[in-house]
Amino acid sequence: MNPIEVSNTKSLIKVKDACIDDSTFECVSLANVTFIDVNLTGIKIANANMSDIEIKDAQLGGAYIHGIGLPPEDHPDFTQGATQRPITFEDCYLGGSTLTNCNLTNVVIKDCDLKGMTINGIAVESLLNSSKKDH
């Protein structure tokens, strides 16, 4: 299969019923692009601005999400004093998932099933129950 090269252009591209498996996109703007009924298995996204992204009705089993937040100090897009806008997770199944070395400052957990959830090895349900008894 011959590669298709598109460079230095801003044009509407409509792709339907196509297979572009194993392709590489570098220095490409995909702002406001819509993907419907797509297979993104094994996709890797690096050094990307994904502000305001919406992922809906997606299966993320086995996903590895890391290095999320504002650019680090050694990154060209780093801005001193900038703050990360909040991220919203709604109607998500995160059972068996792990959060490690994450900044959860001011995170709100509301109307969630916390059975078996632990924080640093301490059962959250026990903490909540003991807190209720103290009040």
Side-chain angles (χ1 to χ4, degrees), residues 5-23:
E5 290 193 34
V6 178
S7 63
N8 297 325
T9 184
K10 183 173 183 175
S11 60
L12 175 65
I13 299 172
K14 185 171 183 176
V15 179
K16 185 172 182 179
D17 298 326
C19 177
I20 55 172
D21 290 354
D22 302 314
S23 295

Side-chain angles (χ1 to χ4, degrees), residues 29-46:
S29 174
L30 296 175
N32 301 310
V33 170
T34 300
F35 293 94
I36 300 171
D37 193 19
V38 295
N39 178 356
L40 298 174
T41 304
I43 193 170
K44 291 177 179 55
I45 300 172

Side-chain angles (χ1 to χ4, degrees), residues 43-99:
I43 193 170
K44 291 177 179 55
I45 300 172
N47 195 22
N49 179 349
M50 296 176 62
S51 299
D52 303 312
I53 187 173
E54 178 180 344
I55 300 173
K56 179 181 177 194
D57 301 330
Q59 194 277 61
L60 292 174
Y64 178 44
I65 300 169
H66 55 108
I68 304 301
L70 295 172
E73 285 188 44
D74 60 345
H75 192 278
D77 291 331
F78 174 77
T79 302
Q80 185 72 39
T83 57
Q84 174 74 35
R85 291 186 295 145
I87 299 170
T88 300
F89 291 87
E90 186 176 290
D91 297 323
C92 298
Y93 178 82
L94 301 175
S97 299
T98 301
L99 301 176

